Amino acid sequence: MTIFTRIINGEIPSYKVAEDERFYAFLDIHPLVKGHTLVIPKLPEPEADYIFDLDDALLGDMMVFAKRVARGIQAATGCKRVGVAVLGMEVNHVHIHLIPLNKESDMLFTNPKLDLPSEEMCVIANSIAEAIDN
């Protein structure tokens, strides 16, 4: 069982920004920038580890869900764009990184990761969630 499955199951806490019956979006706990969010599938293949192994319909729906989350990130953070990255090397569970961008270098995974206090992560997650709902 991956750490992401444990997050979906509520065994590990997360900073949720959006959820439906098939997908879950939450803040990366080691963000490149404030608002860096992960989108993961819940069903029917929660532990598929390579995005291109997903069924075409599930992959398409995941991208539509990610688009909704990205719009919320942009509204909440005021960033110019939201970058999309699919690496899949650090956790063997399909996931999409949504990263607020004001410059291309914001998306360099070699950049130092932020260490934000829990209170700030909660504020960021809530502001994105509210932006998605509006």
Side-chain angles (χ1 to χ4, degrees), residues 59-123:
L59 175 59
D61 291 347
M62 186 173 175
M63 290 306 293
V64 170
F65 181 86
K67 177 181 175 180
R68 188 172 137 242
V69 173
R71 287 193 169 150
I73 292 169
Q74 191 167 19
T77 66
C79 64
K80 292 180 182 177
R81 303 274 173 136
V82 175
V84 178
V86 178
L87 306 174
M89 304 302 255
E90 56 284 333
V91 177
N92 292 329
H93 186 128
V94 171
H95 57 287
I96 297 171
H97 293 263
L98 299 176
I99 303 166
L101 301 176
N102 288 304
K103 56 188 182 309
E104 286 186 14
S105 62
D106 289 339
M107 200 158 162
L108 293 176
F109 281 82
T110 55
N111 287 345
K113 308 298 187 274
L114 301 179
D115 185 18
L116 303 173
S118 180
E119 299 79 21
E120 187 171 2
M121 294 287 279
C122 287
V123 168

Side-chain angles (χ1 to χ4, degrees), residues 27-32 36 113-115 121:
L27 295 182
D28 190 313
I29 60 168
H30 301 292
L32 292 173
H36 179 170
K113 308 298 187 274
L114 301 179
D115 185 18
M121 294 287 279

Side-chain angles (χ1 to χ4, degrees), residues 4 8 14 19 24 33 49 68 72 74 86 94 121 130:
F4 290 167
I8 291 165
S14 66
E19 179 178 19
Y24 190 81
V33 295
D49 72 345
R68 188 172 137 242
Q74 191 167 19
V86 178
V94 171
M121 294 287 279
E130 288 173 13

